[in-house]
Structure formats: C-alpha cells, structure tokens
Amino acid sequence: MQYKTIKRLGLKGACDEHEEEDRDRLQVEADAALALATARHIWNTGRIDLDYVREQTDLPILVRLDTGRFLSERDLQADGRSNALYFWDLIADKATLAFGSEGVTEATRLELDGVDPAIEGEFDVTLANGETVKVATVGTLLKEQLGGWSLERTAKVTELAPKQIEKFAHGFATAKRPMVLSSWGSNRYFHSDLMNRSKILCLSLKGAIGRK
C-alpha cells in the first residue's frame, strides 16, 4: 500500500515563545500517558468511528458492576455458556449475545444488521436466580478511566506543556486515518505492553486498524 501524503505529528512548535523551550521531548516511559490523553480527546470531541467501535472492539460488551466480570450466558441461564458474552441492543432494549465472543457459535461473522450495540450506558439485567444487577458497557468504564487524564495530569507525567499535548491529541483526533510507528524504543520497557495497548486504543477509536 502506498501513502501519498503522510503528515507527521510532532511535539515541537506547540508552545509560544514565552513558554519553556526544552519541553519538546516526551518523558521516558510516558508514552501511555500521552496516548490516554489523546484517547480522552478523541472521545470528548466526538471523533470516534462509531461503526468500527461497535463492530470490531469490546467496548459494547457488558460488565457486571457487582463482580467486575463480563456478563455471560451462564449468569442468565442455569445451563448457559461461561464464554458467551453480551452487549446491550438499543433497538431491542435488552442484553443480546455478542457476535464474536468465543462461546457464541451461532454467528461466525461480525455483522450487526438489525442490532445497535450501546457503547455507553448502565442497565439492569435479571440473573438466573432472579436477582437484578447493574451492568455497564466496557466503553462506559473505559471513558470513566480516561476522564482522569486531563491536560494538567498528563503534563505532569509526560513533562510536556499542556498546549503541546492538546495540539498532538487534536492532530491525531482529526486525522483521516492516523498511524502509529512504534519501534523497539518503547518496547524495551517492562510495561511496554500497556504502552502499546494505549496506542492501539487510540487507533481503535479512530477505526484505523485493518483494511478500509
């Protein structure tokens, strides 16, 4: 595949002349912080690829708020499968088996014709024992976690100026199809898996993974 035009997002030039000039380099091991602030910006500015997120990510999957575990068919049926998970279908207004979860063999393709999985929201479900519990989407819990990554907090972790972080996040969020080039630099660190997960989160929110 050939990319005719690639715009590189950098950290230099985001501050005015009165701000520190030496804050143009990300603090070592702070990749995840910058990525989480970027994901927060993507979400808060409404630049999520909703169709992609509904179909290709786990953000619609329901989580039991009483246990912190995914809602499974075994929760709702005595003889249900533990690896068949649910999303909340906004059209039917009920928990619906999630295509693509390991235990759902009825559907082999991720096709959402006739259903509309909620990405955000809390709902009530009745368990097999008759108890009613609250569930929330993964997207709801994720957004709550991202909410803590303000420009100010991210600036303290990354040692970048808030304006630099905002400019970078805005550039990523408004890019038609952003790309992350991640070489062995960050991958040498012990928690590099979390750094990479946060970068993949940004790409997932933008629907920039896979063929398009």
Side-chain angles (χ1 to χ4, degrees):
M1 179 182 292
Q2 292 184 341
Y3 296 89
K4 296 181 179 180
T5 303
I6 297 179
K7 181 179 179 181
R8 217 174 148 184
L9 292 177
L11 296 169
K12 292 186 178 182
C15 299
D16 61 37
E17 60 183 0
H18 302 294
E19 294 189 76
E20 298 179 37
E21 297 181 355
D22 60 348
R23 300 182 72 181
D24 60 3
R25 184 172 296 179
L26 184 67
Q27 170 65 19
V28 174
E29 300 183 25
D31 303 52
L34 180 60
L36 293 172
T38 300
R40 178 179 187 263
H41 182 84
I42 294 170
W43 203 310
N44 288 346
T45 56
R47 291 186 169 88
I48 297 176
D49 186 332
L50 292 175
D51 289 339
Y52 181 92
V53 169
R54 289 191 187 101
E55 183 184 85
Q56 296 291 327
T57 75
D58 62 358
L59 267 62
I61 302 299
L62 295 175
V63 178
R64 290 180 54 168
L65 295 182
D66 60 334
T67 63
R69 300 179 66 86
F70 290 129
L71 178 71
S72 72
E73 190 180 49
R74 182 169 293 177
D75 292 321
L76 305 185
Q77 301 176 24
D79 59 348
R81 297 160 289 186
S82 61
N83 57 354
L85 308 181
Y86 287 84
F87 57 67
W88 191 269
D89 180 12
L90 293 171
I91 296 176
D93 195 29
K94 66 177 184 179
T96 302
L97 285 172
F99 316 135
S101 61
E102 183 181 0
V104 179
T105 57
E106 296 90 334
T108 58
R109 296 177 62 86
L110 292 174
E111 295 178 343
L112 299 180
D113 295 337
V115 296
D116 185 12
I119 296 174
E120 295 183 58
E122 293 186 11
F123 312 95
D124 292 323
V125 296
T126 302
L127 304 181
N129 62 6
E131 179 185 359
T132 298
V133 298
K134 289 280 187 184
V135 295
T137 65
V138 169
T140 300
L141 303 180
L142 173 63
K143 186 178 182 181
E144 181 180 339
Q145 292 297 314
L146 292 177
W149 287 98
S150 63
L151 292 176
E152 293 72 25
R153 180 187 179 190
T154 308
K156 290 180 180 180
V157 177
T158 61
E159 297 188 3
L160 298 171
K163 285 186 178 180
Q164 290 174 295
I165 299 166
E166 186 175 30
K167 180 181 178 181
F168 178 88
H170 181 74
F172 195 101
T174 56
K176 184 176 181 180
R177 189 168 175 81
M179 183 190 332
V180 174
L181 300 178
S182 183
S183 62
W184 281 103
S186 62
N187 289 332
R188 293 178 183 274
Y189 290 96
F190 184 76
H191 292 298
S192 63
D193 61 323
L194 300 181
M195 296 183 193
N196 288 325
R197 286 174 185 271
S198 62
K199 296 171 190 176
I200 292 170
L201 170 61
C202 292
L203 293 171
S204 296
L205 292 177
K206 287 291 296 178
I209 297 178
R211 301 178 66 180
K212 190 127 180 176

